[in-house]
Amino acid sequence: MSAWQPLPADLPPEVGHFVEQLRLLKDRTGLSLVALGERTAYSKSSWHRYLNATQPPPRQAVVALCRVAGADAERFCVRWELAVRAWPRTVAPAAVPAVAPAGVTGGTGAGLSAGANRAADEGGYEDVPTVPWWDLLAEAPEPEPESLPARHWAASHRLLLYALVLVLVLLLTAVIGAVTLA
């Protein structure tokens, strides 16, 4: 087991329990934070923040950790929802303030996107999905063939139809060439 930093004393119990469960799950994988970062779409420093309760993890990070550990993602996502609702809503100031270009005044805030600024104003957290591309392929459900209209089948198999026509044209050309040269 890793030697974890103690969690802040003023943390709500739901958050503390959730972070402890994430720590146990991470320890169960046997991976370092660097290796965990390589297996998920989140950096070592991000995992450090999530596992020390300085920042709530995005839902996708919890799912990625569950995938790596072989745990039930649904159970942890329910815990994540409870923890995020109870997470302290203090917005920490940026370490290095972004400087607006010369001549630009007003706007949504220095260095923040409109969505992040709105989320910070409302006291919430922006849940930006960051998932590896291979997870997106695995999550895309295949449509049921009987539910697709016939017109959609032709559109989705257009490349196959073009290949079949090309093969027929090549065969016809070969037969005509063989007949004329014989």
Side-chain angles (χ1 to χ4, degrees), residues 25 39-41 61-73 131-132 134-135:
L25 192 60
R39 294 239 183 134
T40 62
V62 175
V63 171
L65 178 59
C66 289
R67 180 180 46 82
V68 169
D72 181 22
V131 235
W134 54 87
D135 282 352

Side-chain angles (χ1 to χ4, degrees), residues 11-12 27 30 36 43 46-47 58 68 83 96 109 112 118 121 126-127 130 140 142-143 146 157 168 172 175-176 180:
L11 218 53
D27 287 341
L36 184 61
S43 67
S46 293
W47 281 114
V68 169
V96 179
L112 291 176
R118 182 174 48 256
D121 289 343
E126 185 178 7
D127 189 20
T130 308
E142 285 292 321
E146 59 272 358
H157 292 85
L168 290 175
L172 183 63
V175 168
I176 292 174
T180 55

Side-chain angles (χ1 to χ4, degrees), residues 12-19 56-57 59 62 74-89 125:
E14 296 90 351
V15 175
H17 179 71
F18 174 70
V19 172
R59 182 183 189 105
V62 175
E74 287 184 35
R75 192 179 84 184
F76 275 91
C77 285
V78 169
R79 290 179 182 169
W80 172 83
E81 288 174 10
L82 294 172
V84 167
R85 287 183 192 148
W87 210 286
R89 301 291 189 200
Y125 299 102

